[in-house]
Each structure stands twice: as structure tokens, then as C-alpha cells.
Amino acid sequence: MALFVTGAAALGLITAPAVAAPDRPTGTEQVAVFGHRGASGYRPEHTLASYELAARMGADYIEPDLVPTKDGVLVARHENEIGGTTDVAARPEFADRRTTKVIDGQELTGWFTEDFTLAELKTLRAKERIPEFRPNNTIYDGRYEVPTFQEVLDLRARLSRELHREVGVAPETKHPSYFARIGLPLEPGVVEALTRNGLNRPNAKVAVQSFEVANLKALDESLAVDLVQLISSSGAPQDFVESGDPRTYADLVEPEGLREVAGYADVIGPDTKVLLPVGEDGFLTGPTPVVADAHAAGLEVVPYTVRAENNFLPADFQTSDDPAAFGDVFGFFQALFDTGIDGIFADHPDIAVTARDDHATNR
């Protein structure tokens, strides 16, 4: 697997077969930190500034979510609806683009990337998505463009050279069934970009993610990199819903489901609540066997997402009534590391790196 490849092999400087790595890392010091949408706790998400800061803070991977433009270019946005992450609502020239669509069964009103050419999107500027919890990030509103996937890959390559370590990339394919249905499939562009940039190879520090199953199975035929089956704490993969498959995400993390996932993916990316459920009172109810079961199936486990603010932490780790203040995020990291996870998505990569390293030292 490629999640923990470092040094010359990760840089593509070794062409001979490498010595096989253990099935999973043996120490917490090897837990990989994924900069979730970059360092989105400190900069508006999915901007080159956010990704660069994540890498400089020590993140092993940066994570761009991918959606297409009208002319088929992959860009980094958490959702194709961009009213909350750009200044499009303040642009009178795009007022007539506001519309209502049904995306994965949910009705949304706003502005959508697939209705804009890349040139049009490049005139917009990013803004903080959750200013009520991250008011300090709003000072960066209006400074950054919407980046293309290629621009993210170019940044990754530059930072790898500058930092003298390979910076990984973990693109997520957003709403693949929806985009395939409207004639803008994501997968060809992902495969083409990774291949063109020399990253479609075994041991590349790349992990391609999806909440759906069918597109990961298709990508498994075209990509030599790690694939990540994302697992929500509720509901079912959209392609299951549309095909009439009755299984849910809960079924996928049963031992039988995990064995099936291992046939096409290398990693599961569950919501933290799949590993550490939260009761109705907001407190943790105890760990589940999912990490052990996934490891038994040959899968690594990289849960999402740890955020430092009280609003996003279980009640066990909230330190005040201020939802925007940082809580006991180190305590939450400790609880997650104790389950035996192999990586973690975090909005504050510097805190994740410190927590990871401290936990490894104290083992």
C-alpha cells in the first residue's frame, strides 16, 4: 500500500521492486495526517493557500474535493454549489445562474460549477464557509481563486521539492453518479491528470476517495494508487440508492462488507462516529470493532474529520459554551489513536501532527 511510503520510493526515484511493507503500520508515529480541504481551520477551504499551509504544517496529504466545470475541467470545491464558498452571490453578472437542482436526492438552490466555464469561475474569489465558527478566516475572503486539480498537483510537486519530502494528495470524487448522468463524469479527468503527472503508479503517495462504490470499482481498473471507500455514519452510497441495492454504510462496515470493500479499495474513511459513536446526550458511548474488523480484512482506516472547535467535538471534549473556541481536541485525538487508526483527516493539521507525535512518544 502507498499511504505510508516515504523517501526515494515515494519520489519515484526507485524503479526496482521495493521490499514489501507490513500490512499496517506498527506504531502511532506512522499515522498519516490528511489536511482536510487543506488547513481549512486557518484559511478558506480548497484554496492553494489552504493546501500550502497544510503541507507546511506537516500534513502528509492534502485533500482536494473535485467537481467539474461546464467545460469539463476538474476544480477543487467541497460541493458543486458554490454560493457558500465564493463571492458569486455578489456578482450581478451571474445572478441569472442561480437555480435549483436535486443533487443526490437533496434539493439545493444556488450556483453550481457545472454551469460555469473555467474562465468564468476564475473571476470568482473564495470565502470562508463557516464564518460563525471561524471568524478569523474571513480576513482572507476575496484573496484566492478557485484552483484547478492541475494547479493543486503543481503545488504538491513544488512543495515536495521545497520541503524535501513527498507531499501526498487525496482527491475525492464528489457526486460521481450525478455528474456521470449529466455528461460530466469525474473519473476520466482524475485518471488522466494522475497519469499525466506521473502519479498513476504503485507506491505513489495518492489516495483517491469516494462515498460511492461503483466508481471506485471502475477506478480500480484504471488506477494503480490507493482507493478509499468513504463511510458516512448514516444513509447509503448514492449509487446503491439509485440502483435499488438495499445495503447501507452500516452494512459496509460489517465484516462481510469490509471483505467486499477490500476487493476494490485499500482504505476505509469512516466518519469518526462510526468508530466512536456519540449518544443522544452528545457524549461518546464507546468504541466499535470497525478498526479491528477492517484490519482483519486487509484495509487501513483513516477517519474524518477532527475539528478543534467545541461545536464539532463530542461533549466529552468541549471546554466551554463558546462553539467557536477550541476544545480538548488533543483528548479527542487520543481517543481516536487508541482505536488503532492508520490516518486522520483534520482541519488543523498542525494540531494533528503534534497530537500524533505526542501519542507516539508516550506509548
PDB file of all heavy atoms in Angstrom, residues 106-142:
ATOM      1  N   GLN A 106     -31.178  15.582  -2.714  1.00  0.00           N
ATOM      2  CA  GLN A 106     -31.372  16.790  -1.910  1.00  0.00           C
ATOM      3  C   GLN A 106     -31.581  17.994  -2.817  1.00  0.00           C
ATOM      4  O   GLN A 106     -30.792  18.246  -3.729  1.00  0.00           O
ATOM      5  CB  GLN A 106     -30.157  17.026  -1.012  1.00  0.00           C
ATOM      6  CG  GLN A 106     -30.287  18.253  -0.115  1.00  0.00           C
ATOM      7  CD  GLN A 106     -29.077  18.466   0.768  1.00  0.00           C
ATOM      8  OE1 GLN A 106     -28.097  17.733   0.672  1.00  0.00           O
ATOM      9  NE2 GLN A 106     -29.127  19.476   1.621  1.00  0.00           N
ATOM     10  N   GLU A 107     -32.642  18.748  -2.569  1.00  0.00           N
ATOM     11  CA  GLU A 107     -32.908  19.943  -3.362  1.00  0.00           C
ATOM     12  C   GLU A 107     -32.051  21.100  -2.865  1.00  0.00           C
ATOM     13  O   GLU A 107     -32.069  21.439  -1.676  1.00  0.00           O
ATOM     14  CB  GLU A 107     -34.385  20.314  -3.273  1.00  0.00           C
ATOM     15  CG  GLU A 107     -34.785  21.450  -4.191  1.00  0.00           C
ATOM     16  CD  GLU A 107     -36.273  21.711  -4.181  1.00  0.00           C
ATOM     17  OE1 GLU A 107     -37.016  20.963  -4.852  1.00  0.00           O
ATOM     18  OE2 GLU A 107     -36.678  22.669  -3.481  1.00  0.00           O
ATOM     19  N   LEU A 108     -31.296  21.693  -3.772  1.00  0.00           N
ATOM     20  CA  LEU A 108     -30.392  22.793  -3.434  1.00  0.00           C
ATOM     21  C   LEU A 108     -30.647  23.965  -4.368  1.00  0.00           C
ATOM     22  O   LEU A 108     -30.835  23.779  -5.575  1.00  0.00           O
ATOM     23  CB  LEU A 108     -28.927  22.354  -3.565  1.00  0.00           C
ATOM     24  CG  LEU A 108     -28.432  21.243  -2.641  1.00  0.00           C
ATOM     25  CD1 LEU A 108     -27.022  20.820  -3.035  1.00  0.00           C
ATOM     26  CD2 LEU A 108     -28.481  21.685  -1.188  1.00  0.00           C
ATOM     27  N   THR A 109     -30.613  25.158  -3.820  1.00  0.00           N
ATOM     28  CA  THR A 109     -30.729  26.374  -4.611  1.00  0.00           C
ATOM     29  C   THR A 109     -29.447  27.168  -4.484  1.00  0.00           C
ATOM     30  O   THR A 109     -28.954  27.388  -3.373  1.00  0.00           O
ATOM     31  CB  THR A 109     -31.918  27.229  -4.148  1.00  0.00           C
ATOM     32  OG1 THR A 109     -33.124  26.484  -4.331  1.00  0.00           O
ATOM     33  CG2 THR A 109     -31.995  28.521  -4.950  1.00  0.00           C
ATOM     34  N   GLY A 110     -28.897  27.564  -5.613  1.00  0.00           N
ATOM     35  CA  GLY A 110     -27.659  28.328  -5.582  1.00  0.00           C
ATOM     36  C   GLY A 110     -27.008  28.379  -6.944  1.00  0.00           C
ATOM     37  O   GLY A 110     -27.682  28.377  -7.981  1.00  0.00           O
ATOM     38  N   TRP A 111     -25.699  28.417  -6.937  1.00  0.00           N
ATOM     39  CA  TRP A 111     -24.894  28.476  -8.150  1.00  0.00           C
ATOM     40  C   TRP A 111     -24.023  27.225  -8.207  1.00  0.00           C
ATOM     41  O   TRP A 111     -23.434  26.835  -7.185  1.00  0.00           O
ATOM     42  CB  TRP A 111     -24.004  29.714  -8.143  1.00  0.00           C
ATOM     43  CG  TRP A 111     -24.747  31.016  -8.248  1.00  0.00           C
ATOM     44  CD1 TRP A 111     -24.935  31.764  -9.367  1.00  0.00           C
ATOM     45  CD2 TRP A 111     -25.380  31.734  -7.179  1.00  0.00           C
ATOM     46  NE1 TRP A 111     -25.651  32.908  -9.080  1.00  0.00           N
ATOM     47  CE2 TRP A 111     -25.938  32.916  -7.739  1.00  0.00           C
ATOM     48  CE3 TRP A 111     -25.540  31.506  -5.805  1.00  0.00           C
ATOM     49  CZ2 TRP A 111     -26.622  33.845  -6.975  1.00  0.00           C
ATOM     50  CZ3 TRP A 111     -26.229  32.435  -5.050  1.00  0.00           C
ATOM     51  CH2 TRP A 111     -26.758  33.595  -5.627  1.00  0.00           C
ATOM     52  N   PHE A 112     -23.907  26.621  -9.373  1.00  0.00           N
ATOM     53  CA  PHE A 112     -23.281  25.304  -9.495  1.00  0.00           C
ATOM     54  C   PHE A 112     -22.133  25.353 -10.498  1.00  0.00           C
ATOM     55  O   PHE A 112     -22.254  25.946 -11.579  1.00  0.00           O
ATOM     56  CB  PHE A 112     -24.323  24.269  -9.922  1.00  0.00           C
ATOM     57  CG  PHE A 112     -25.428  24.094  -8.913  1.00  0.00           C
ATOM     58  CD1 PHE A 112     -26.518  24.953  -8.888  1.00  0.00           C
ATOM     59  CD2 PHE A 112     -25.356  23.090  -7.965  1.00  0.00           C
ATOM     60  CE1 PHE A 112     -27.530  24.811  -7.948  1.00  0.00           C
ATOM     61  CE2 PHE A 112     -26.372  22.930  -7.012  1.00  0.00           C
ATOM     62  CZ  PHE A 112     -27.460  23.794  -7.013  1.00  0.00           C
ATOM     63  N   THR A 113     -21.038  24.688 -10.163  1.00  0.00           N
ATOM     64  CA  THR A 113     -19.834  24.753 -11.004  1.00  0.00           C
ATOM     65  C   THR A 113     -20.098  24.291 -12.422  1.00  0.00           C
ATOM     66  O   THR A 113     -19.496  24.816 -13.369  1.00  0.00           O
ATOM     67  CB  THR A 113     -18.700  23.896 -10.406  1.00  0.00           C
ATOM     68  OG1 THR A 113     -19.116  22.524 -10.287  1.00  0.00           O
ATOM     69  CG2 THR A 113     -18.263  24.428  -9.052  1.00  0.00           C
ATOM     70  N   GLU A 114     -20.995  23.327 -12.583  1.00  0.00           N
ATOM     71  CA  GLU A 114     -21.222  22.782 -13.921  1.00  0.00           C
ATOM     72  C   GLU A 114     -21.945  23.776 -14.829  1.00  0.00           C
ATOM     73  O   GLU A 114     -22.098  23.510 -16.034  1.00  0.00           O
ATOM     74  CB  GLU A 114     -22.001  21.463 -13.847  1.00  0.00           C
ATOM     75  CG  GLU A 114     -23.402  21.552 -13.278  1.00  0.00           C
ATOM     76  CD  GLU A 114     -23.463  21.306 -11.782  1.00  0.00           C
ATOM     77  OE1 GLU A 114     -22.458  21.569 -11.090  1.00  0.00           O
ATOM     78  OE2 GLU A 114     -24.526  20.846 -11.311  1.00  0.00           O
ATOM     79  N   ASP A 115     -22.368  24.917 -14.294  1.00  0.00           N
ATOM     80  CA  ASP A 115     -22.997  25.958 -15.103  1.00  0.00           C
ATOM     81  C   ASP A 115     -22.037  27.106 -15.423  1.00  0.00           C
ATOM     82  O   ASP A 115     -22.460  28.123 -16.002  1.00  0.00           O
ATOM     83  CB  ASP A 115     -24.224  26.515 -14.379  1.00  0.00           C
ATOM     84  CG  ASP A 115     -25.304  25.457 -14.169  1.00  0.00           C
ATOM     85  OD1 ASP A 115     -25.411  24.541 -15.013  1.00  0.00           O
ATOM     86  OD2 ASP A 115     -26.031  25.547 -13.157  1.00  0.00           O
ATOM     87  N   PHE A 116     -20.768  26.943 -15.071  1.00  0.00           N
ATOM     88  CA  PHE A 116     -19.750  27.969 -15.303  1.00  0.00           C
ATOM     89  C   PHE A 116     -18.579  27.372 -16.078  1.00  0.00           C
ATOM     90  O   PHE A 116     -18.162  26.241 -15.806  1.00  0.00           O
ATOM     91  CB  PHE A 116     -19.202  28.504 -13.975  1.00  0.00           C
ATOM     92  CG  PHE A 116     -20.173  29.317 -13.178  1.00  0.00           C
ATOM     93  CD1 PHE A 116     -21.200  28.698 -12.459  1.00  0.00           C
ATOM     94  CD2 PHE A 116     -20.071  30.697 -13.124  1.00  0.00           C
ATOM     95  CE1 PHE A 116     -22.099  29.439 -11.708  1.00  0.00           C
ATOM     96  CE2 PHE A 116     -20.966  31.454 -12.372  1.00  0.00           C
ATOM     97  CZ  PHE A 116     -21.981  30.816 -11.679  1.00  0.00           C
ATOM     98  N   THR A 117     -18.046  28.123 -17.016  1.00  0.00           N
ATOM     99  CA  THR A 117     -16.787  27.717 -17.632  1.00  0.00           C
ATOM    100  C   THR A 117     -15.659  27.981 -16.639  1.00  0.00           C
ATOM    101  O   THR A 117     -15.811  28.730 -15.668  1.00  0.00           O
ATOM    102  CB  THR A 117     -16.508  28.501 -18.918  1.00  0.00           C
ATOM    103  OG1 THR A 117     -16.315  29.886 -18.572  1.00  0.00           O
ATOM    104  CG2 THR A 117     -17.652  28.358 -19.910  1.00  0.00           C
ATOM    105  N   LEU A 118     -14.518  27.385 -16.895  1.00  0.00           N
ATOM    106  CA  LEU A 118     -13.365  27.637 -16.027  1.00  0.00           C
ATOM    107  C   LEU A 118     -13.015  29.121 -16.028  1.00  0.00           C
ATOM    108  O   LEU A 118     -12.732  29.693 -14.963  1.00  0.00           O
ATOM    109  CB  LEU A 118     -12.160  26.810 -16.476  1.00  0.00           C
ATOM    110  CG  LEU A 118     -10.880  27.059 -15.665  1.00  0.00           C
ATOM    111  CD1 LEU A 118     -11.074  26.672 -14.205  1.00  0.00           C
ATOM    112  CD2 LEU A 118      -9.705  26.301 -16.278  1.00  0.00           C
ATOM    113  N   ALA A 119     -13.051  29.747 -17.181  1.00  0.00           N
ATOM    114  CA  ALA A 119     -12.721  31.169 -17.252  1.00  0.00           C
ATOM    115  C   ALA A 119     -13.656  31.993 -16.377  1.00  0.00           C
ATOM    116  O   ALA A 119     -13.223  32.938 -15.702  1.00  0.00           O
ATOM    117  CB  ALA A 119     -12.780  31.653 -18.698  1.00  0.00           C
ATOM    118  N   GLU A 120     -14.937  31.639 -16.354  1.00  0.00           N
ATOM    119  CA  GLU A 120     -15.877  32.363 -15.506  1.00  0.00           C
ATOM    120  C   GLU A 120     -15.603  32.106 -14.024  1.00  0.00           C
ATOM    121  O   GLU A 120     -15.635  33.036 -13.199  1.00  0.00           O
ATOM    122  CB  GLU A 120     -17.298  31.954 -15.863  1.00  0.00           C
ATOM    123  CG  GLU A 120     -17.756  32.465 -17.226  1.00  0.00           C
ATOM    124  CD  GLU A 120     -19.090  31.893 -17.650  1.00  0.00           C
ATOM    125  OE1 GLU A 120     -19.417  30.740 -17.272  1.00  0.00           O
ATOM    126  OE2 GLU A 120     -19.824  32.596 -18.374  1.00  0.00           O
ATOM    127  N   LEU A 121     -15.345  30.841 -13.678  1.00  0.00           N
ATOM    128  CA  LEU A 121     -15.055  30.522 -12.272  1.00  0.00           C
ATOM    129  C   LEU A 121     -13.818  31.256 -11.775  1.00  0.00           C
ATOM    130  O   LEU A 121     -13.750  31.651 -10.606  1.00  0.00           O
ATOM    131  CB  LEU A 121     -14.843  29.020 -12.098  1.00  0.00           C
ATOM    132  CG  LEU A 121     -16.069  28.137 -11.870  1.00  0.00           C
ATOM    133  CD1 LEU A 121     -15.639  26.694 -11.671  1.00  0.00           C
ATOM    134  CD2 LEU A 121     -16.871  28.607 -10.672  1.00  0.00           C
ATOM    135  N   LYS A 122     -12.850  31.442 -12.658  1.00  0.00           N
ATOM    136  CA  LYS A 122     -11.603  32.091 -12.257  1.00  0.00           C
ATOM    137  C   LYS A 122     -11.801  33.575 -11.926  1.00  0.00           C
ATOM    138  O   LYS A 122     -10.926  34.197 -11.327  1.00  0.00           O
ATOM    139  CB  LYS A 122     -10.547  31.931 -13.346  1.00  0.00           C
ATOM    140  CG  LYS A 122      -9.877  30.557 -13.365  1.00  0.00           C
ATOM    141  CD  LYS A 122      -9.062  30.334 -12.111  1.00  0.00           C
ATOM    142  CE  LYS A 122      -8.251  29.064 -12.143  1.00  0.00           C
ATOM    143  NZ  LYS A 122      -7.453  28.875 -10.910  1.00  0.00           N
ATOM    144  N   THR A 123     -12.947  34.144 -12.290  1.00  0.00           N
ATOM    145  CA  THR A 123     -13.212  35.529 -11.907  1.00  0.00           C
ATOM    146  C   THR A 123     -13.763  35.624 -10.487  1.00  0.00           C
ATOM    147  O   THR A 123     -13.820  36.719  -9.924  1.00  0.00           O
ATOM    148  CB  THR A 123     -14.212  36.196 -12.872  1.00  0.00           C
ATOM    149  OG1 THR A 123     -15.518  35.610 -12.694  1.00  0.00           O
ATOM    150  CG2 THR A 123     -13.772  36.044 -14.316  1.00  0.00           C
ATOM    151  N   LEU A 124     -14.179  34.493  -9.908  1.00  0.00           N
ATOM    152  CA  LEU A 124     -14.722  34.478  -8.553  1.00  0.00           C
ATOM    153  C   LEU A 124     -13.589  34.397  -7.533  1.00  0.00           C
ATOM    154  O   LEU A 124     -12.459  34.041  -7.859  1.00  0.00           O
ATOM    155  CB  LEU A 124     -15.661  33.288  -8.376  1.00  0.00           C
ATOM    156  CG  LEU A 124     -16.832  33.180  -9.343  1.00  0.00           C
ATOM    157  CD1 LEU A 124     -17.632  31.918  -9.051  1.00  0.00           C
ATOM    158  CD2 LEU A 124     -17.721  34.417  -9.247  1.00  0.00           C
ATOM    159  N   ARG A 125     -13.915  34.705  -6.284  1.00  0.00           N
ATOM    160  CA  ARG A 125     -12.935  34.604  -5.209  1.00  0.00           C
ATOM    161  C   ARG A 125     -13.546  33.812  -4.056  1.00  0.00           C
ATOM    162  O   ARG A 125     -14.743  33.910  -3.767  1.00  0.00           O
ATOM    163  CB  ARG A 125     -12.491  35.987  -4.729  1.00  0.00           C
ATOM    164  CG  ARG A 125     -11.684  36.749  -5.774  1.00  0.00           C
ATOM    165  CD  ARG A 125     -10.376  36.034  -6.093  1.00  0.00           C
ATOM    166  NE  ARG A 125      -9.582  36.705  -7.124  1.00  0.00           N
ATOM    167  CZ  ARG A 125      -9.635  36.441  -8.423  1.00  0.00           C
ATOM    168  NH1 ARG A 125     -10.494  35.527  -8.861  1.00  0.00           N
ATOM    169  NH2 ARG A 125      -8.862  37.076  -9.266  1.00  0.00           N
ATOM    170  N   ALA A 126     -12.707  33.043  -3.399  1.00  0.00           N
ATOM    171  CA  ALA A 126     -13.149  32.168  -2.315  1.00  0.00           C
ATOM    172  C   ALA A 126     -13.441  32.966  -1.048  1.00  0.00           C
ATOM    173  O   ALA A 126     -12.904  34.055  -0.828  1.00  0.00           O
ATOM    174  CB  ALA A 126     -12.074  31.122  -2.024  1.00  0.00           C
ATOM    175  N   LYS A 127     -14.309  32.386  -0.221  1.00  0.00           N
ATOM    176  CA  LYS A 127     -14.585  32.973   1.087  1.00  0.00           C
ATOM    177  C   LYS A 127     -14.770  31.852   2.103  1.00  0.00           C
ATOM    178  O   LYS A 127     -14.970  30.679   1.745  1.00  0.00           O
ATOM    179  CB  LYS A 127     -15.814  33.864   1.039  1.00  0.00           C
ATOM    180  CG  LYS A 127     -17.129  33.137   0.811  1.00  0.00           C
ATOM    181  CD  LYS A 127     -18.317  34.097   0.861  1.00  0.00           C
ATOM    182  CE  LYS A 127     -19.643  33.360   0.779  1.00  0.00           C
ATOM    183  NZ  LYS A 127     -20.805  34.270   0.882  1.00  0.00           N
ATOM    184  N   GLU A 128     -14.682  32.211   3.382  1.00  0.00           N
ATOM    185  CA  GLU A 128     -14.835  31.248   4.464  1.00  0.00           C
ATOM    186  C   GLU A 128     -16.250  30.676   4.477  1.00  0.00           C
ATOM    187  O   GLU A 128     -17.236  31.409   4.434  1.00  0.00           O
ATOM    188  CB  GLU A 128     -14.519  31.911   5.804  1.00  0.00           C
ATOM    189  CG  GLU A 128     -14.816  31.054   7.030  1.00  0.00           C
ATOM    190  CD  GLU A 128     -14.093  29.714   7.015  1.00  0.00           C
ATOM    191  OE1 GLU A 128     -12.911  29.674   6.580  1.00  0.00           O
ATOM    192  OE2 GLU A 128     -14.721  28.709   7.407  1.00  0.00           O
ATOM    193  N   ARG A 129     -16.352  29.345   4.566  1.00  0.00           N
ATOM    194  CA  ARG A 129     -17.639  28.663   4.503  1.00  0.00           C
ATOM    195  C   ARG A 129     -18.415  28.748   5.818  1.00  0.00           C
ATOM    196  O   ARG A 129     -19.650  28.813   5.825  1.00  0.00           O
ATOM    197  CB  ARG A 129     -17.429  27.192   4.126  1.00  0.00           C
ATOM    198  CG  ARG A 129     -18.701  26.363   3.988  1.00  0.00           C
ATOM    199  CD  ARG A 129     -18.388  24.942   3.554  1.00  0.00           C
ATOM    200  NE  ARG A 129     -17.530  24.270   4.517  1.00  0.00           N
ATOM    201  CZ  ARG A 129     -17.976  23.580   5.580  1.00  0.00           C
ATOM    202  NH1 ARG A 129     -19.278  23.483   5.805  1.00  0.00           N
ATOM    203  NH2 ARG A 129     -17.137  22.992   6.394  1.00  0.00           N
ATOM    204  N   ILE A 130     -17.714  28.711   6.957  1.00  0.00           N
ATOM    205  CA  ILE A 130     -18.401  28.708   8.257  1.00  0.00           C
ATOM    206  C   ILE A 130     -17.870  29.856   9.130  1.00  0.00           C
ATOM    207  O   ILE A 130     -17.209  29.637  10.144  1.00  0.00           O
ATOM    208  CB  ILE A 130     -18.248  27.345   8.968  1.00  0.00           C
ATOM    209  CG1 ILE A 130     -16.794  26.840   8.937  1.00  0.00           C
ATOM    210  CG2 ILE A 130     -19.174  26.324   8.353  1.00  0.00           C
ATOM    211  CD1 ILE A 130     -16.584  25.563   9.750  1.00  0.00           C
ATOM    212  N   PRO A 131     -18.163  31.091   8.733  1.00  0.00           N
ATOM    213  CA  PRO A 131     -17.617  32.240   9.461  1.00  0.00           C
ATOM    214  C   PRO A 131     -18.085  32.323  10.905  1.00  0.00           C
ATOM    215  O   PRO A 131     -17.398  32.934  11.736  1.00  0.00           O
ATOM    216  CB  PRO A 131     -18.109  33.434   8.642  1.00  0.00           C
ATOM    217  CG  PRO A 131     -19.329  32.935   7.920  1.00  0.00           C
ATOM    218  CD  PRO A 131     -19.024  31.510   7.614  1.00  0.00           C
ATOM    219  N   GLU A 132     -19.229  31.729  11.221  1.00  0.00           N
ATOM    220  CA  GLU A 132     -19.719  31.786  12.597  1.00  0.00           C
ATOM    221  C   GLU A 132     -18.810  31.030  13.559  1.00  0.00           C
ATOM    222  O   GLU A 132     -18.750  31.330  14.750  1.00  0.00           O
ATOM    223  CB  GLU A 132     -21.155  31.239  12.688  1.00  0.00           C
ATOM    224  CG  GLU A 132     -21.322  29.766  12.358  1.00  0.00           C
ATOM    225  CD  GLU A 132     -21.533  29.483  10.880  1.00  0.00           C
ATOM    226  OE1 GLU A 132     -21.012  30.234  10.032  1.00  0.00           O
ATOM    227  OE2 GLU A 132     -22.232  28.499  10.580  1.00  0.00           O
ATOM    228  N   PHE A 133     -18.085  30.033  13.039  1.00  0.00           N
ATOM    229  CA  PHE A 133     -17.151  29.272  13.863  1.00  0.00           C
ATOM    230  C   PHE A 133     -15.690  29.654  13.609  1.00  0.00           C
ATOM    231  O   PHE A 133     -14.836  29.363  14.444  1.00  0.00           O
ATOM    232  CB  PHE A 133     -17.335  27.770  13.616  1.00  0.00           C
ATOM    233  CG  PHE A 133     -18.733  27.291  13.877  1.00  0.00           C
ATOM    234  CD1 PHE A 133     -19.491  26.741  12.861  1.00  0.00           C
ATOM    235  CD2 PHE A 133     -19.302  27.421  15.135  1.00  0.00           C
ATOM    236  CE1 PHE A 133     -20.790  26.308  13.089  1.00  0.00           C
ATOM    237  CE2 PHE A 133     -20.600  26.990  15.376  1.00  0.00           C
ATOM    238  CZ  PHE A 133     -21.342  26.438  14.350  1.00  0.00           C
ATOM    239  N   ARG A 134     -15.426  30.271  12.457  1.00  0.00           N
ATOM    240  CA  ARG A 134     -14.057  30.627  12.093  1.00  0.00           C
ATOM    241  C   ARG A 134     -13.998  32.080  11.618  1.00  0.00           C
ATOM    242  O   ARG A 134     -13.642  32.362  10.471  1.00  0.00           O
ATOM    243  CB  ARG A 134     -13.538  29.662  11.027  1.00  0.00           C
ATOM    244  CG  ARG A 134     -13.377  28.255  11.591  1.00  0.00           C
ATOM    245  CD  ARG A 134     -13.023  27.203  10.577  1.00  0.00           C
ATOM    246  NE  ARG A 134     -12.858  25.943  11.275  1.00  0.00           N
ATOM    247  CZ  ARG A 134     -12.780  24.753  10.691  1.00  0.00           C
ATOM    248  NH1 ARG A 134     -12.860  24.668   9.359  1.00  0.00           N
ATOM    249  NH2 ARG A 134     -12.625  23.656  11.404  1.00  0.00           N
ATOM    250  N   PRO A 135     -14.348  33.000  12.502  1.00  0.00           N
ATOM    251  CA  PRO A 135     -14.379  34.403  12.081  1.00  0.00           C
ATOM    252  C   PRO A 135     -13.016  34.934  11.645  1.00  0.00           C
ATOM    253  O   PRO A 135     -12.953  35.819  10.790  1.00  0.00           O
ATOM    254  CB  PRO A 135     -14.902  35.131  13.327  1.00  0.00           C
ATOM    255  CG  PRO A 135     -14.596  34.218  14.475  1.00  0.00           C
ATOM    256  CD  PRO A 135     -14.752  32.837  13.921  1.00  0.00           C
ATOM    257  N   ASN A 136     -11.949  34.413  12.228  1.00  0.00           N
ATOM    258  CA  ASN A 136     -10.624  34.906  11.850  1.00  0.00           C
ATOM    259  C   ASN A 136     -10.290  34.606  10.398  1.00  0.00           C
ATOM    260  O   ASN A 136      -9.514  35.330   9.766  1.00  0.00           O
ATOM    261  CB  ASN A 136      -9.546  34.312  12.758  1.00  0.00           C
ATOM    262  CG  ASN A 136      -9.624  34.826  14.177  1.00  0.00           C
ATOM    263  OD1 ASN A 136     -10.246  35.858  14.429  1.00  0.00           O
ATOM    264  ND2 ASN A 136      -9.015  34.116  15.111  1.00  0.00           N
ATOM    265  N   ASN A 137     -10.870  33.543   9.868  1.00  0.00           N
ATOM    266  CA  ASN A 137     -10.586  33.181   8.471  1.00  0.00           C
ATOM    267  C   ASN A 137     -11.175  34.173   7.481  1.00  0.00           C
ATOM    268  O   ASN A 137     -10.753  34.223   6.320  1.00  0.00           O
ATOM    269  CB  ASN A 137     -11.137  31.783   8.159  1.00  0.00           C
ATOM    270  CG  ASN A 137     -10.347  30.681   8.837  1.00  0.00           C
ATOM    271  OD1 ASN A 137      -9.473  30.940   9.650  1.00  0.00           O
ATOM    272  ND2 ASN A 137     -10.659  29.439   8.503  1.00  0.00           N
ATOM    273  N   THR A 138     -12.151  34.946   7.922  1.00  0.00           N
ATOM    274  CA  THR A 138     -12.821  35.849   6.989  1.00  0.00           C
ATOM    275  C   THR A 138     -11.911  36.980   6.520  1.00  0.00           C
ATOM    276  O   THR A 138     -12.226  37.636   5.520  1.00  0.00           O
ATOM    277  CB  THR A 138     -14.091  36.446   7.618  1.00  0.00           C
ATOM    278  OG1 THR A 138     -13.741  37.226   8.775  1.00  0.00           O
ATOM    279  CG2 THR A 138     -15.063  35.345   8.022  1.00  0.00           C
ATOM    280  N   ILE A 139     -10.789  37.221   7.203  1.00  0.00           N
ATOM    281  CA  ILE A 139      -9.875  38.258   6.717  1.00  0.00           C
ATOM    282  C   ILE A 139      -9.264  37.875   5.375  1.00  0.00           C
ATOM    283  O   ILE A 139      -8.741  38.736   4.662  1.00  0.00           O
ATOM    284  CB  ILE A 139      -8.759  38.581   7.732  1.00  0.00           C
ATOM    285  CG1 ILE A 139      -7.801  37.398   7.905  1.00  0.00           C
ATOM    286  CG2 ILE A 139      -9.352  39.020   9.063  1.00  0.00           C
ATOM    287  CD1 ILE A 139      -6.555  37.740   8.703  1.00  0.00           C
ATOM    288  N   TYR A 140      -9.364  36.588   5.025  1.00  0.00           N
ATOM    289  CA  TYR A 140      -8.819  36.121   3.746  1.00  0.00           C
ATOM    290  C   TYR A 140      -9.874  36.071   2.644  1.00  0.00           C
ATOM    291  O   TYR A 140      -9.559  35.712   1.505  1.00  0.00           O
ATOM    292  CB  TYR A 140      -8.183  34.737   3.915  1.00  0.00           C
ATOM    293  CG  TYR A 140      -7.035  34.722   4.897  1.00  0.00           C
ATOM    294  CD1 TYR A 140      -7.210  34.262   6.194  1.00  0.00           C
ATOM    295  CD2 TYR A 140      -5.777  35.190   4.520  1.00  0.00           C
ATOM    296  CE1 TYR A 140      -6.161  34.253   7.096  1.00  0.00           C
ATOM    297  CE2 TYR A 140      -4.726  35.190   5.416  1.00  0.00           C
ATOM    298  CZ  TYR A 140      -4.923  34.722   6.702  1.00  0.00           C
ATOM    299  OH  TYR A 140      -3.882  34.728   7.599  1.00  0.00           O
ATOM    300  N   ASP A 141     -11.110  36.400   2.980  1.00  0.00           N
ATOM    301  CA  ASP A 141     -12.162  36.393   1.956  1.00  0.00           C
ATOM    302  C   ASP A 141     -11.761  37.312   0.800  1.00  0.00           C
ATOM    303  O   ASP A 141     -11.298  38.436   1.014  1.00  0.00           O
ATOM    304  CB  ASP A 141     -13.485  36.874   2.536  1.00  0.00           C
ATOM    305  CG  ASP A 141     -14.148  35.854   3.449  1.00  0.00           C
ATOM    306  OD1 ASP A 141     -13.593  34.757   3.605  1.00  0.00           O
ATOM    307  OD2 ASP A 141     -15.221  36.177   4.014  1.00  0.00           O
ATOM    308  N   GLY A 142     -11.962  36.817  -0.414  1.00  0.00           N
ATOM    309  CA  GLY A 142     -11.707  37.630  -1.602  1.00  0.00           C
ATOM    310  C   GLY A 142     -10.279  37.593  -2.111  1.00  0.00           C
ATOM    311  O   GLY A 142      -9.984  38.219  -3.138  1.00  0.00           O
TER     312      GLY A 142
END
